[in-house]
């Protein structure tokens, strides 16, 4: 570490904000109390956008409330706190001129008092979008002389995916050297987390034989919160639980648990390289490896705090469960269960390594040898209420961490921790609890880079998580009530290589008919008729209803006009078409021809595929394909009113080829338009809602477990929502019937 003695200038940018008030100034007061009289001198600046007359009372209101460190007597604390307040000052930091004035003030003080400068520490407690601008100002105006150090602390979030993290890294690295940047993850300052590597090192001989796939059954890394996101929605709705917690805090814990042990725990470079090697060994994760949820009140909070209309629905998850696998010989096949959520039943955080137990107990199941073998890195709260490392007594007696600030716990409360009473564990705990920010601020001062996130480590973590985040961006989170009422709704399990919720989510949309008929149920869904059954029975019922509608139309008018949509529904459903030639497999008409039309006797002049392939071109506006098809509808379909329109629904709520971003304002009277899909093939032709809503009957078919969260979400929406185009299907004089199979309805 850099031991150069002299004067240290601390600047907290955003020094009157919430984080500074709750944690940072307490951390810097602790640093000052630890270092006073040891050769350094200090000055502290709280920087903010407000002018001095407004910012100064705010800052000193915060500083006067600081708590005394436990190791100081009341008398000593009063003296140290007075000195700290005397050395502290507010400074407006808004423009480049403000930073220049700060730099001049620092130089002036050093000159007047004849002090040697050791370094300058800037803590950026501001939104991430301001980092690059402030880094540029610091670089251009506030750099210390070349023989003094500069350290700039950055708070998460560092981007919201790989690409934005790369862009931010590029902007910052143009202004600051990597050795000058300290990207903080406060989890690395938690006392238990900081002792994971020392614990593994101290107990290497005991752990080496069992720290592998032959002995470890599973690993759990958990952060549960009882709090909701209220008051933080503006930030939270952009990020969600995976970006907020899993990508950083829990990934760091996993890495410390499973990375190769460095030969030297003081070698920051070796630790960072071993972290990178571990992250590179993780298997790719996608939607099949994760489940997501959202507490019930969240969407209302979003509408209120972001001024959204009542038809706005956020897909941001507030709960996630992910199972991760490592692709190396040591850990291959060990599932790592990683989970976090808000509005859960308790506040607790831990990492648990559960070992295989091959003992079978005939008579004494309470014997410790018959119980779970596990090591728990317990970060606090929950039943135990204090941070600790617990090793079950049927595993081994661990070495006591030899730093002098840890103790063995021998007095046990009458509580259970993850299935075992405390008396069944060897327990170690910190002698004096220290706040994570106090620890990390001390490490910044000492220049300890191993407690912080490197640029390479940050990008490696984002590279791992970004594909999953992209895959989940259109997935409907399971809605949960919050707190104890969640029951087993969020339990998830590994089924082969896939992750799924363990229990069905009950959607309150069924009003069963009085008939004792378990095969087909009728009820109400979104204020319209609903038919529900298992897939086979549902398709048979739909076919029967279509036949009855056809017979009725032919009886009354001598003809029956049916419009079918394309898609992945098991019944070949054409009121939309992909812009590919009809002979290609991607064509909806080709699908309907192969699955339906070639088997029934319909004269070909009665079949009207959409004209997507005109003048050797696909879906070109100038070719007039929509107008041509609209003319055909007007010619053949009485009043342009189809007798029956059969629709499917995509997982994002689109129907036919009408998507969330489809602009229809200027096409209200048109029956056919060209649209663009977010997925390939992008070019589509589709009937409009005007054409669909003129129909005598509209059937909507939804099938499969993958549509369950969509069904849940749609049941909560009253009326129309621009986010879910299917909600705009509202026949003017006809009837709407939902056909939903039990997989989609019940999950």
């Amino acid at each position: 570490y850099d031991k150069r003695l002299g004067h240290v200038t601390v600047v907290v940018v955003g020094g009157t904000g919430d984080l500074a008030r709750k944690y940072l100034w307490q951390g810097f007061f602790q640093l000052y109390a630890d270092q006073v009289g040891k050769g350094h001198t200090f000055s502290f600046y709280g920087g903010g956008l407000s002018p001095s007359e407004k910012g100064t009372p705010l800052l000193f209101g915060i500083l006067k409330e600081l708590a005394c460190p436990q190791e100081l007597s009341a008398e000593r604390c009063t003296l140290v706190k007075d000195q700290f307040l005397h050395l502290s000052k507010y400074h407006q930091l808004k423009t480049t001129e403000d930073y220049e004035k700060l730099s001049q003030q620092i130089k002036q003080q050093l000159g007047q008092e004849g002090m040697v400068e050791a370094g300058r520490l800037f803590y950026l407690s501001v939104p991430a979008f301001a980092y690059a601008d402030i880094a540029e100002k610091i670089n251009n105006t506030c750099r210390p002389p070349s023989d003094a150090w500069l350290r700039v602390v950055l708070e998460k979030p560092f981007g919201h995916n790989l690409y934005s993290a790369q862009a931010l890294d590029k902007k910052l690295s143009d202004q600051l050297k990597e050795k000058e940047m300290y990207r903080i993850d406060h989890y690395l300052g938690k006392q238990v987390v900081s002792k994971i590597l020392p614990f593994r090192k101290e107990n290497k001989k005991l752990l080496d034989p069992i720290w592998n796939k032959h002995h470890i059954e599973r690993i759990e890394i958990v952060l549960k919160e009882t709090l909701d996101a209220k008051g933080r929605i503006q930030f939270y709705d952009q990020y969600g639980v995976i970006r907020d917690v899993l990508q950083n805090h829990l990934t760091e814990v996993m890495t410390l648990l499973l990375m190769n042990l460095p030969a030297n725990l003081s070698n920051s470079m070796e630790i960072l390289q071993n972290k990178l090697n571990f992250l590179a060994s993780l298997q790719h994760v996608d939607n099949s490896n994760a489940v997501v949820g959202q507490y019930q009140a969240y969407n209302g909070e979003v509408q209120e705090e972001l001024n959204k209309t009542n038809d706005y629905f956020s897909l941001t998850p507030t709960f996630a469960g992910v199972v991760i696998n490592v692709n190396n010989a040591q850990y291959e096949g060990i599932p790592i269960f990683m989970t976090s959520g808000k509005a859960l039943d308790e506040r607790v955080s831990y990492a648990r390594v559960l070992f295989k137990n091959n003992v079978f107990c005939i008579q004494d199941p309470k014997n410790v040898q018959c119980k779970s073998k596990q090591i728990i890195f317990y970060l606090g709260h929950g039943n135990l209420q204090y941070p600790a490392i617990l090793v079950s007594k049927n595993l081994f007696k661990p070495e006591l961490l030899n730093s002098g600030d840890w103790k063995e716990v021998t007095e046990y409360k009458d509580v259970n921790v993850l299935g075992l009473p405390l008396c069944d564990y060897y327990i170690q705990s910190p002698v004096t609890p220290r706040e994570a920010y106090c620890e990390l601020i001390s490490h910044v001062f000492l220049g300890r880079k191993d407690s912080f996130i490197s640029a390479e480590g940050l990008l490696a973590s984002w590279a791992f998580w970004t594909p999953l985040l992209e895959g989940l961006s259109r997935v409907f989170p399971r809605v949960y009530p919050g707190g104890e009422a969640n029951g087993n709704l969020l339990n998830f399990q590994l089924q082969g290589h896939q992750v799924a919720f363990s229990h069905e989510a009950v959607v309150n949309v069924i009003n069963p008919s009085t008939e004792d008929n378990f095969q087909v149920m009728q009820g109400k869904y979104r204020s319209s008729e609903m038919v529900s059954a298992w897939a086979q029975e549902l398709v048979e019922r739909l076919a029967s209803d279509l036949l009855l509608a056809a017979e009725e139309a032919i009886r009354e008018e001598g003809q029956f006009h049916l419009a079918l949509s394309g898609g992945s529904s098991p019944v070949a459903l054409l009121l939309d078409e992909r812009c590919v030639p009809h002979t290609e497999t991607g064509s909806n008409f080709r699908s309907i021809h192969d699955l339906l039309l070639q088997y029934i006797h319909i004269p070909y002049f009665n079949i009207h595929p959409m004209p997507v392939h005109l003048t050797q071109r696909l879906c070109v506006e100038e070719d007039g394909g929509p107008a041509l098809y609209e003319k055909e509808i007007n010619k053949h379909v009485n009043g342009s009113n189809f007798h029956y329109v059969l629709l499917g629904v995509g997982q994002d709520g689109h129907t036919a080829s009408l998507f969330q971003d489809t602009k229809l304002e200027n096409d209200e009277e048109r029956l056919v338009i060209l649209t663009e899909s977010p997925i390939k093939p992008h070019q589509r032709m589709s009937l409009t809602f005007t054409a669909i809503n003129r129909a005598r009957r509209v059937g909507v078919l939804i099938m499969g477990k993958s549509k369950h969260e969509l069904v849940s979400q749609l049941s909560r929406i009253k009326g129309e929502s621009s986010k879910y185009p299917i909600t705009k299907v509202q026949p003017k004089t006809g009837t709407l019937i939902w056909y939903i199979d039990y997989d989609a309805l019940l999950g």
Side-chain angles (χ1 to χ4, degrees):
Y1 312 134
D2 195 327
K3 303 279 189 175
R4 175 189 170 91
L5 295 177
H7 189 75
V8 175
T9 304
V10 172
V11 183
V12 182
V13 185
T16 56
D18 199 43
L19 183 69
R21 179 177 57 81
K22 284 182 179 174
Y23 300 112
L24 302 186
W25 285 116
Q26 189 67 51
F28 284 113
F29 180 39
Q30 178 78 55
L31 174 69
Y32 179 69
D34 290 345
Q35 294 296 325
V36 70
K38 293 183 181 177
H40 285 96
T41 55
F42 291 87
S43 54
F44 298 91
Y45 292 92
L49 298 175
S50 303
S52 183
E53 58 271 19
K54 187 177 178 184
T56 299
L58 282 175
L59 176 65
F60 282 90
I62 294 168
L63 299 185
K64 284 171 185 173
E65 296 298 315
L66 294 174
C68 289
Q70 287 187 5
E71 61 272 16
L72 294 185
S73 66
E75 189 180 343
R76 174 71 176 154
C77 180
T78 302
L79 178 64
V80 171
K81 191 169 178 180
D82 284 346
Q83 290 172 340
F84 183 73
L85 290 171
H86 180 69
L87 296 169
S88 300
K89 187 175 182 180
Y90 179 83
H91 198 291
Q92 185 174 21
L93 290 176
K94 193 173 185 180
T95 64
T96 303
E97 292 72 29
D98 292 330
Y99 281 84
E100 285 170 348
K101 285 179 188 173
L102 173 65
S103 185
Q104 289 163 8
Q105 198 166 327
I106 293 168
K107 287 175 189 170
Q108 189 178 346
Q109 183 189 4
L110 289 165
Q112 285 174 350
E113 301 183 23
M115 293 184 290
V116 174
E117 186 166 17
R120 300 181 188 181
L121 192 165
F122 285 81
Y123 198 118
L124 306 195
S125 178
V126 294
F129 65 75
Y131 286 169
D133 178 57
I134 294 171
E136 185 178 4
K137 289 185 170 84
I138 292 170
N139 181 41
N140 292 338
T141 65
C142 289
R143 276 197 171 276
S146 57
D147 56 350
W149 49 257
L150 171 66
R151 292 174 190 150
V152 180
V153 185
L154 305 159
E155 276 282 344
K156 77 174 182 73
F158 314 112
H160 60 272
N161 58 21
L162 176 59
Y163 321 110
S164 58
Q166 286 170 328
L168 178 60
D169 179 57
K170 173 72 171 68
K171 287 178 184 174
L172 290 173
S173 60
D174 285 345
Q175 307 298 331
L176 302 168
K177 298 169 188 167
E178 178 62 22
K179 71 174 185 178
E180 295 171 337
M181 287 187 271
Y182 287 71
R183 298 172 193 82
I184 203 164
D185 182 332
H186 79 269
Y187 252 56
L188 292 177
K190 288 184 177 287
Q191 288 167 293
V192 168
V193 176
S194 69
K195 291 299 181 189
I196 292 175
L197 287 183
F199 175 87
R200 289 178 59 194
K201 187 88 168 175
E202 288 287 333
N203 295 283
K204 189 173 188 304
K205 286 183 182 176
L206 296 163
L207 287 173
D208 272 358
I210 61 172
W211 209 250
N212 55 57
K213 64 186 179 186
H214 303 296
H215 296 272
I216 296 175
E217 184 175 307
R218 64 199 262 174
I219 292 168
E220 300 165 3
I221 302 171
V222 176
L223 170 56
K224 293 170 67 176
E225 297 182 84
T226 53
L227 289 174
D228 55 23
K230 208 168 183 181
R232 286 184 72 218
I233 295 290
Q234 195 153 19
F235 161 81
Y236 198 88
D237 201 54
Q238 294 179 59
Y239 287 89
V241 67
I242 295 177
R243 291 181 174 92
D244 191 36
V245 174
L246 275 72
Q247 177 272 329
N248 36 68
H249 303 331
L250 302 193
T251 299
E252 285 296 321
V253 172
M254 172 178 68
T255 304
L256 291 170
L257 278 176
L258 299 176
M259 64 186 261
N260 285 344
L261 263 179
N264 179 1
L265 293 188
S266 300
N267 187 332
S268 297
M269 290 307 297
E270 187 184 0
I271 289 173
L272 293 175
Q273 188 55 52
N274 287 7
K275 284 185 174 184
L276 288 176
N277 293 343
F278 172 73
L279 289 170
S281 72
L282 295 175
Q283 283 186 19
H284 171 83
V285 287
D286 58 27
N287 291 18
S288 67
N289 307 116
V291 291
V292 288
Q294 185 189 93
Y295 65 82
Q296 200 156 359
Y298 179 80
N299 202 69
E301 292 163 8
V302 170
Q303 290 172 356
E304 184 181 336
E305 292 187 34
L306 301 185
N307 293 319
K308 299 291 185 182
T309 56
N310 289 339
D311 67 348
Y312 179 84
F313 279 83
S314 169
L315 295 184
T316 300
T318 61
F319 167 85
V322 183
V323 177
I324 298 166
N325 284 280
V326 185
N327 198 13
N328 69 25
Q330 186 176 1
Y331 302 124
E332 187 180 20
I334 301 173
I336 303 164
F337 288 76
M338 188 181 282
T339 187
S340 182
K342 290 192 170 293
L344 301 181
D345 60 320
E346 65 173 336
R347 183 186 182 191
V348 68
S349 184
Y350 61 85
R352 175 197 198 196
V353 182
L354 181 65
F355 293 85
K356 297 171 183 175
N357 192 346
N358 297 325
V359 176
F360 183 83
C361 297
I362 297 292
Q363 278 186 259
D364 187 12
K366 291 185 179 178
N367 184 298
V368 70
Q369 295 305 321
C370 311
K371 297 180 180 179
S372 299
K373 292 182 177 182
Q374 54 195 13
I375 298 174
I376 300 163
F377 298 91
Y378 200 91
L379 277 57
H381 306 293
N383 286 348
L384 195 55
Q385 290 296 312
Y386 59 82
I389 298 175
L390 303 92
V391 180
S392 60
K393 288 181 175 176
N394 55 5
L395 205 52
F396 60 78
K397 183 172 174 43
E399 296 290 329
L400 184 63
L401 290 164
N402 60 10
S403 57
D405 53 0
W406 279 64
K407 65 184 180 185
E408 190 169 354
V409 177
T410 52
E411 293 180 13
Y412 305 123
K413 293 192 293 183
D414 185 23
V415 296
N416 275 34
V417 173
L418 298 179
L420 294 181
L422 286 190
C423 59
D424 282 350
Y425 290 106
Y426 297 112
I427 306 172
Q428 300 182 43
S429 185
V431 173
T432 306
R434 275 173 73 98
E435 172 55 49
Y437 279 100
C438 292
E439 293 285 289
L440 291 173
I441 284 169
S442 168
H443 291 185
V444 177
F445 172 73
L446 294 169
R448 281 185 52 177
K449 290 285 282 185
D450 56 299
S451 301
F452 299 88
I453 311 299
S454 69
E456 288 177 291
L458 173 69
L459 298 179
S461 176
W462 275 123
F464 173 71
W465 286 103
T466 295
L468 175 63
L469 289 163
E470 288 175 346
L472 291 173
S473 63
R474 288 178 176 268
V475 170
F476 292 95
R478 171 173 287 193
V479 177
Y480 59 96
E484 295 283 348
N486 295 336
N488 58 22
L489 200 59
L490 297 178
N491 293 353
F492 62 98
Q493 65 190 41
L494 191 58
Q495 300 170 326
H497 295 293
Q498 300 207 325
V499 177
F501 284 116
S502 306
H503 296 85
E504 295 173 347
V506 178
V507 184
N508 188 23
V509 293
I510 302 180
N511 296 310
S513 63
T514 53
E515 297 171 27
D516 187 16
N517 181 351
F518 294 103
Q519 278 196 308
V520 179
M521 276 204 301
Q522 290 188 253
K524 289 281 185 183
Y525 180 75
R526 287 184 49 78
S527 306
S528 296
E529 296 299 316
M530 181 192 70
V531 177
S532 191
W534 293 114
Q536 186 61 38
E537 287 82 3
L538 186 69
V539 171
E540 289 173 4
R541 170 61 182 264
L542 174 57
S544 171
D545 287 354
L546 272 170
L547 187 61
L548 287 171
E551 288 173 348
E552 182 185 332
I554 290 167
R555 194 167 52 246
E556 292 177 6
E557 302 175 34
Q559 55 188 352
F560 175 62
H561 297 118
L562 167 68
L564 299 161
S565 80
S568 58
S569 299
V571 179
L573 305 173
L574 215 16
L575 54 83
D576 69 314
E577 179 57 289
R578 298 167 178 178
C579 293
V580 296
H582 291 145
T583 52
E584 289 191 10
T585 52
S587 162
N588 287 336
F589 177 75
R590 167 73 185 269
S591 299
I592 287 178
H593 176 273
D594 291 352
L595 294 168
L596 177 68
L597 300 181
Q598 66 172 324
Y599 299 111
I600 55 178
H601 299 295
I602 300 177
Y604 268 80
F605 53 80
N606 285 357
I607 299 169
H608 304 278
M610 286 186 159
V612 295
H613 199 194
L614 296 170
T615 65
Q616 304 302 307
R617 302 189 294 184
L618 290 167
C619 291
V620 175
E621 188 77 49
E622 292 77 21
D623 291 343
L628 194 63
Y629 200 61
E630 194 166 314
K631 196 173 177 182
E632 276 201 68
I633 292 171
N634 289 327
K635 178 181 176 183
H636 296 291
V637 179
N638 183 26
S640 305
N641 298 341
F642 286 95
H643 292 103
Y644 205 113
V645 169
L646 186 53
L647 300 168
V649 190
Q651 286 191 357
D652 58 355
H654 85 266
T655 189
S657 281
L658 300 168
F659 300 91
Q660 184 182 332
D661 299 325
T662 303
K663 299 286 186 285
L664 294 170
E665 292 80 3
N666 302 322
D667 300 313
E668 287 182 4
E669 294 308 311
R670 293 183 61 181
L671 304 181
V672 187
I673 56 169
L674 292 176
T675 70
E676 191 164 318
S677 165
I679 57 172
K680 292 182 179 179
H682 297 298
Q683 295 299 110
R684 307 286 177 96
M685 188 182 289
S686 179
L687 289 192
T688 62
F689 289 115
T690 301
I692 293 168
N693 288 331
R694 285 182 184 177
R696 311 272 182 88
R697 285 190 181 90
V698 178
V700 180
L701 177 65
I702 308 179
M703 299 179 74
K705 288 191 175 185
S706 65
K707 302 284 178 72
H708 169 63
E709 301 300 342
L710 169 69
V711 169
S712 302
Q713 200 82 347
L714 289 175
S715 72
R716 298 164 63 205
I717 298 171
K718 306 298 180 202
E720 218 177 89
S721 166
S722 58
K723 192 162 188 177
Y724 304 104
I726 187 64
T727 60
K728 296 181 181 179
V729 175
Q730 298 169 13
K732 299 237 180 298
T733 56
T735 56
L736 170 63
I737 303 177
W738 298 85
Y739 294 86
I740 309 176
D741 80 344
Y742 288 147
D743 280 339
L745 192 67
L746 303 174

